[in-house]
Amino acid sequence: MGDQKVVLVTGCAKGGIGYEYCKAFAEQNCHVFASDIAQRMSDMLDLRADKIETLDLDVASDESVASAVNSIITKCGKIDILINNAGIGSTGPLAELPLDAIRKTYEINTLGQLRLIQQVVPHMASRRSGSIVNVGSVVGKVPTPWAGSYCASKAAIFSMSHTLRVELSPFNINVIIVVPGAIRSSFGNNNVERLQNYEWKLYKDFKEAIIERAKASQGGKATEALVFARHVATKVLSPKPPKVIQFGHMTGLFSLLSWSPLWARDLFFSTRFKLNSKVFKVY
């Protein structure tokens, strides 16, 4: 394998940002392992190339994660970079969203990342080398209405990453947080599809606003996924990678909101997502 970097990327089905991460790292002469759940393996067929291999990996399964990591170590002897990209959206009012849906969001978005970390860290520590890239979101720092469970799952990524960065420093392991803004992908359509499973009661009159939030990141000015992925790959592979990589449409707005007083932030989101009107009926 020589000096060629071995990169494991999770959540790589076609249409998502992970798919573009694989191409971006392969362009930088890395040996990439593109992974996703068994049902989506066919969505990665186009990725197969000299520098990209596909791998069945379910981030919600201890056994699947251990098997995938051990398979790469057996074949290549190392994992230089882990891109913790796998994740799902979760849209709906917190007062009504089923707890099972919220648990699934945490299991994949939060514990899924930690599950991979706990498997790769011993190998990286033994070599005193490695980079762990955890994918957060701008809404992990500035949560929005109608996506509270998703925002909370991404907020946890910041806390975990800041802790890990210090805890893993004795082993020379970098921990990098990627903070995407609005990036064009299949994420919005997948969010809207999940909403078909729910029938709101208290929030019945807000159905259209909730749907609008589900696809909010996919507006006309959203950053192209490959542009975003290439930016991240370049930063991660630099001699001194940054601790945080924030990039994409709307990151400036969310940075401003993070510094705004809460009354101003609440007013902005109440207006943006149709929560500034009074509700007089209870269903």
Side-chain angles (χ1 to χ4, degrees), residues 122-135:
H123 301 287
M124 290 181 173
S126 69
R127 300 178 63 247
R128 294 295 191 272
S129 176
S131 291
I132 294 169
V133 181
N134 295 331
V135 179

Side-chain angles (χ1 to χ4, degrees), residues 47-66:
L47 280 176
R48 291 179 181 172
D50 291 341
K51 297 176 183 176
I52 304 177
E53 299 185 48
T54 58
L55 193 66
D56 178 354
L57 193 163
D58 180 356
V59 301
S61 165
D62 293 345
E63 294 77 12
S64 177
V65 169

Side-chain angles (χ1 to χ4, degrees), residues 62-275:
D62 293 345
E63 294 77 12
S64 177
V65 169
S67 175
V69 169
N70 289 335
S71 174
I72 298 172
I73 296 298
T74 298
K75 182 169 188 175
C76 302
K78 63 176 183 174
I79 295 175
D80 294 293
I81 300 169
L82 166 66
I83 309 293
N84 257 328
N85 171 74
I88 61 170
S90 181
T91 309
L94 277 175
E96 287 196 54
L97 194 63
L99 287 178
D100 283 347
I102 295 173
R103 286 191 190 96
K104 183 177 180 180
T105 303
Y106 273 85
E107 186 63 53
I108 294 174
N109 293 1
T110 309
L111 294 180
Q113 293 201 17
L114 187 56
R115 190 171 281 113
L116 263 297
I117 290 165
Q118 291 187 344
Q119 282 294 326
V120 302
V121 159
H123 301 287
M124 290 181 173
S126 69
R127 300 178 63 247
R128 294 295 191 272
S129 176
S131 291
I132 294 169
V133 181
N134 295 331
V135 179
S137 170
V138 289
V139 299
K141 295 192 291 183
V142 181
T144 72
W146 310 136
S149 61
Y150 176 77
C151 297
S153 74
K154 289 299 185 178
I157 300 304
F158 287 89
S159 295
M160 289 196 322
S161 300
H162 291 317
T163 299
L164 286 162
R165 187 177 62 253
V166 179
E167 290 181 347
L168 296 179
S169 60
F171 306 103
N172 198 35
I173 299 173
N174 297 313
V175 178
I176 303 160
I177 310 173
V178 171
V179 189
I183 311 298
R184 193 175 310 285
S185 70
S186 56
F187 194 76
N189 289 336
N190 293 339
N191 277 347
V192 173
E193 286 180 13
R194 289 189 191 93
L195 285 175
Q196 296 174 3
N197 299 325
Y198 309 126
E199 192 65 41
W200 311 120
K201 296 177 181 178
L202 287 174
Y203 293 94
K204 189 174 182 179
D205 291 340
F206 296 97
K207 181 178 179 180
E208 293 306 314
I210 294 169
I211 293 173
E212 183 181 349
R213 173 61 187 90
K215 55 187 179 181
S217 66
Q218 300 304 304
K221 294 183 179 180
T223 300
E224 293 298 329
L226 184 55
V227 172
F228 175 79
R230 284 173 171 163
H231 178 82
V232 171
T234 299
K235 294 289 187 181
V236 169
L237 292 168
S238 63
K240 291 186 177 181
K243 296 177 177 62
V244 178
I245 302 171
Q246 182 164 298
F247 187 74
H249 180 56
M250 296 185 71
T251 52
L253 170 62
F254 274 79
S255 291
L256 177 62
L257 289 170
S258 71
W259 288 98
S260 300
L262 286 178
W263 67 263
R265 189 193 302 184
D266 290 351
L267 178 61
F268 173 82
F269 283 130
S270 294
T271 303
R272 173 68 177 82
F273 295 111
K274 314 296 191 297
L275 278 157

